[in-house]
Amino acid sequence: MEQGEGGDFPPKKVQSDTAGTAAVTSDIPLKKLARQLDFTAFGGASAAVVLPEHPQSQPQAQAQHPVTMPVPPQTTHPSVRVVKPESPRSRPRPNIDVKDGTPKKQKQCNCKHSRCLKLYCECFASGIYCDGCNCVNCHNNVENEAARREAVEVTLERNPNAFRPKIASSPHGARDSREESGEALVLGKHNKGCHCKKSGCLKKYCECFQANILCSENCKCMDCKNFEGSEERQALFHGDHANSMAYIQQAANAAITGAIGSSGFGSPPVSKKRKGQELFYGPTSKDPSLHRLAQFQQASLTKASVTTSSLSSTPVSRVPNSAASGTSKFTYRSLLADIIQPQDLKELCSVLVVVSEEAARTFADKRNLVEKPAEEQVETSRASSTQDRLQSQKESDIEKAVADDCSSRNQADKLGPDDSSSDGGDVPKGRPMSPGTLALMCDEQDTMFMAAASPNVLMGHSCNTSSQLPYGQGITEAYAEQERIILTKFRDCLNRLITFGEIKETKCSSLARTESGGQNEPFSNGPANARTDTGNQQVPVSNGVSKPPFPPATKMSQTVTAAAASPNNTLLSKPSTHTENGDINLKTEKEL
DNA sequence: GAGTTTGAAACT
DNA sequence: CAGTTTCAAACTC
């Protein structure tokens, strides 16, 4: 019991010997001094610490894992106020003031039939004695310690984790808190997940909501609106009325009843079932960040997506959780999936290497006019070799990106449990990167690479400390020149990619409009099996054909146009071996 | 404050 | 493990 451990949790404000005594259930606590559990370490946002705690006590408590019977602490300070824990559902219903998030003072239970010896009882579940509660026939007290202990044993027998905190902290806390600026914390996730059906997870009935955390993949809730990016949820936390309880409830109610609906378009959220993100991204991902991402994307996608029925033969709203989560029929395929071919990459790299060499050579020639050839040769060689590595790295990066891109077509299927995407990465695995991201990553990794492979170069480049370099200013300039040329080329290439992507997007959009025949219009609560919200975005729809919904090509340049439309498009300006068929596919592909 | 709703816990 | 019942908190009026 951690919480049980709880049992071992040192009571705040109470002695330091607690850990020891608390574990010994035989010690009869002094009158009505319940221990307070501390859930702050578990990410429970609501776990506001009410009482100061002993610095050394916390570690002790956390170090304890053995599930033992929770025993209210002994104390030699009867005057200490009993304060119940602020756990995330931390225990049944925490004492949190929804208005301001501040913890209220102890809350008394009102149990009538459980004798306060079942988890129904907040006090019992918290591992504390009832104190000043309004319960009836309470046995959760010193006088009934025997019964209490027995009840604890029974409870633990049934569920060894019964007294453990339900909210696990999230490794992505920092990120979350940042993203949720202004909102309640969203750290951690419910270990078991909630099972809400009607509350939309936006009421305190929901343990996740109550704990101020987002629902996670652990949840089996229906029609969940407690996910990042949920407008309903945001409505609860943001806005001028953010602190108005009435507003909050109104928003929640509206959200639940669909009055607001996702994005206010009058359409019900994706499904009556389960979280929509699973429909698109595969369900079983255990990576919180991915999950959040998916949730976020869900929020975006649902606005732009088409009726789910048109994308899947299975009516989403009737798909059981497991089914929905297990058989994701939606896959996201990058707009560039067919554009970038391995050969393109090779060509790109070749070109970059060539221009790099040329740059180096040109620069060397210039210098040769005034400096010793031998030295220059070495430098050129160095430059070239460095550049080669650079190209090599770029190629690697790009290929990785493309690999992701290509694999994305089956992304949803791949996002399984083992697809624990890079922890904390802002670019979870499986999510195709936009050209812009790709470029940024390349730049970033180039920098990193260069820093590792050639610190001097990096220094010279970024800090203008060339005078300190063994190779002098000349080398630095040569590298700079090479870099400039290469980056320019690379930029051009990426711009072309962007253009291609936009062309394809445009085509897809047209196709969607054509095939959906106006389905993208806002609709009221349509067929239950239905549809997701449609925002203003066009989403490719092709009857059953594998045209999955995909995010809009966000960072794509605004200049789709002419250049893009040119049949001579190639990734590079240099003559290409592409099979230019006018379509977006530049090549006949065989390399994949 | 009474009655209803909700979802976790308990039970079958 | 799924379905049902019990329970107490959350919520509504």
Side-chain angles (χ1 to χ4, degrees):
Chain A
M1 65 181 135
E2 277 165 82
Q3 157 167 340
E5 109 193 356
D8 308 322
F9 260 100
K12 312 237 161 114
K13 198 120 175 200
V14 184
Q15 78 356 348
S16 41
D17 61 302
T18 324
T21 53
V24 182
T25 59
S26 58
D27 289 344
I28 304 300
L30 292 183
K31 274 288 178 184
K32 307 255 179 180
L33 267 178
R35 138 209 67 214
Q36 174 182 11
L37 304 182
D38 178 10
F39 293 90
T40 54
F42 301 93
S46 60
V49 177
V50 178
L51 296 174
E53 58 188 322
H54 292 273
Q56 72 273 39
S57 63
Q58 183 74 338
Q60 277 181 328
Q62 294 187 349
Q64 297 174 355
H65 278 282
V67 176
T68 55
M69 179 161 61
V71 176
Q74 320 294 311
T75 177
T76 55
H77 303 285
S79 60
V80 174
R81 171 106 176 81
V82 174
V83 179
K84 293 194 179 179
E86 303 299 342
S87 73
R89 184 314 135 82
S90 19
R91 276 312 100 191
R93 328 277 187 193
N95 318 316
I96 297 298
D97 187 314
V98 177
K99 295 190 196 106
D100 53 16
T102 58
K104 293 189 237 177
K105 59 183 180 181
Q106 176 183 359
K107 184 173 183 178
Q108 291 86 28
C109 69
N110 300 288
C111 307
K112 294 180 177 64
H113 308 292
S114 65
R115 292 184 303 163
C116 296
L117 291 181
K118 293 197 173 180
L119 292 175
Y120 294 127
C121 176
E122 181 174 344
C123 303
F124 179 79
S126 297
I128 63 179
Y129 289 129
C130 285
D131 176 48
C133 299
N134 304 313
C135 42
V136 176
N137 192 23
C138 178
H139 280 55
N140 183 29
N141 49 36
V142 182
E143 291 78 9
N144 295 281
E145 181 59 29
R148 181 179 179 280
R149 286 174 58 185
E150 187 176 350
V152 169
E153 289 173 6
V154 170
T155 300
L156 287 175
E157 188 176 342
R158 182 183 302 122
N159 174 17
N161 297 320
F163 296 98
R164 287 177 180 273
K166 293 186 174 183
I167 308 300
S169 59
S170 164
H172 306 281
R175 180 165 155 265
D176 288 342
S177 58
R178 183 193 68 221
E179 294 175 358
E180 296 297 314
S181 59
E183 292 186 13
L185 298 176
V186 293
L187 310 180
K189 68 180 175 184
H190 199 292
N191 288 328
K192 288 175 61 181
C194 66
H195 300 76
C196 307
K197 295 186 179 93
K198 302 179 179 180
S199 67
C201 298
L202 288 182
K203 290 194 173 186
K204 291 183 72 180
Y205 294 125
C206 174
E207 295 192 346
C208 298
F209 179 81
Q210 192 171 59
N212 277 336
I213 61 173
L214 298 174
C215 284
S216 69
E217 67 274 18
N218 293 340
C219 298
K220 294 182 177 65
C221 43
M222 296 171 65
D223 205 13
C224 179
K225 296 182 176 64
N226 183 29
F227 58 88
E228 192 172 332
S230 162
E231 296 190 14
E232 293 86 348
R233 179 174 176 276
Q234 289 176 359
L236 297 179
F237 294 98
H238 294 306
D240 299 334
H241 311 285
N243 291 324
S244 164
M245 189 56 197
Y247 177 80
I248 289 176
Q249 285 307 320
Q250 182 182 354
N253 292 338
I256 293 165
T257 60
I260 289 179
S262 181
S263 74
F265 290 130
S267 304
V270 187
S271 71
K272 288 295 180 186
K273 206 48 191 165
R274 200 44 177 150
K275 300 170 173 31
Q277 75 275 10
E278 292 188 356
L279 299 174
F280 294 94
Y281 296 93
T284 49
S285 167
K286 294 300 178 192
D287 181 19
S289 67
L290 180 59
H291 182 263
R292 278 189 290 274
L293 169 68
Q295 288 176 324
F296 176 78
Q297 291 189 338
Q298 171 202 9
S300 303
L301 280 172
T302 53
K303 293 180 204 165
S305 59
V306 296
T307 75
T308 51
S309 57
S310 68
L311 294 167
S312 167
S313 57
T314 307
V316 177
S317 63
R318 296 293 166 243
V319 178
N321 287 345
S322 55
S325 60
T327 58
S328 175
K329 301 197 175 202
F330 303 106
T331 59
Y332 163 57
R333 193 174 185 200
S334 169
L335 285 170
L336 301 177
D338 294 327
I339 296 176
I340 303 175
Q341 303 297 337
Q343 191 176 340
D344 293 316
L345 295 176
K346 290 180 181 178
E347 285 185 23
L348 168 62
C349 293
S350 297
V351 170
L352 293 179
V353 169
V354 168
V355 297
S356 170
E357 289 173 345
E358 289 176 352
R361 208 172 296 128
T362 300
F363 195 82
D365 291 342
K366 287 182 186 174
R367 293 202 65 197
N368 277 339
L369 297 178
V370 290
E371 297 186 9
K372 291 181 288 183
E375 178 185 347
E376 203 56 32
Q377 294 266 350
V378 173
E379 293 176 355
T380 302
S381 168
R382 271 177 173 278
S384 185
S385 105
T386 297
Q387 200 56 58
D388 283 346
R389 280 175 290 170
L390 170 66
Q391 297 313 318
S392 204
Q393 175 70 15
K394 270 187 179 167
E395 178 171 4
S396 173
D397 292 343
I398 296 173
E399 285 183 341
K400 269 185 275 182
V402 171
D404 277 350
D405 191 41
C406 294
S407 64
S408 68
R409 59 192 74 176
N410 292 321
Q411 177 189 10
D413 293 331
K414 289 187 175 181
L415 293 181
D418 54 334
D419 186 23
S420 52
S421 63
S422 57
D423 185 21
D426 284 330
V427 182
K429 259 182 208 167
R431 182 187 179 184
M433 292 175 286
S434 69
T437 301
L438 179 65
L440 288 174
M441 288 186 65
C442 288
D443 288 346
E444 197 170 282
Q445 292 187 28
D446 283 347
T447 299
M448 292 171 60
F449 167 77
M450 293 182 73
S454 181
N456 289 339
V457 173
L458 180 62
M459 287 175 64
H461 171 66
S462 61
C463 305
N464 193 25
T465 55
S466 56
S467 61
Q468 302 171 5
L469 301 178
Y471 302 106
Q473 181 83 29
I475 289 300
T476 299
E477 291 175 359
Y479 290 165
E481 178 64 12
Q482 283 183 306
E483 184 174 322
R484 188 186 66 76
I485 293 174
I486 290 170
L487 291 179
T488 299
K489 279 287 182 186
F490 192 50
R491 181 200 60 195
D492 293 343
C493 170
L494 293 177
N495 281 334
R496 286 171 184 276
L497 280 176
I498 289 171
T499 298
F500 293 153
E502 290 179 330
I503 293 174
K504 189 168 183 180
E505 181 188 24
T506 301
K507 286 188 176 181
C508 290
S509 294
S510 306
L511 182 62
R513 275 192 295 270
T514 300
E515 297 187 358
S516 61
Q519 282 189 354
N520 283 341
E521 295 174 0
F523 41 79
S524 52
N525 299 349
N529 62 349
R531 25 182 80 175
T532 64
D533 235 334
T534 66
N536 299 321
Q537 303 187 4
Q538 310 292 339
V539 174
V541 183
S542 57
N543 314 323
V545 186
S546 59
K547 282 288 184 180
F550 47 73
T554 51
K555 291 290 279 180
M556 300 257 177
S557 115
Q558 298 303 314
T559 58
V560 184
T561 66
S566 165
N568 289 324
N569 285 327
T570 61
L571 294 180
L572 299 166
S573 10
K574 119 181 187 186
S576 166
T577 57
H578 291 167
T579 298
E580 296 160 359
N581 55 11
D583 193 0
I584 295 184
N585 277 322
L586 297 178
K587 300 180 174 186
T588 53
E589 89 177 67
K590 295 173 183 171
E591 298 167 1
L592 285 179

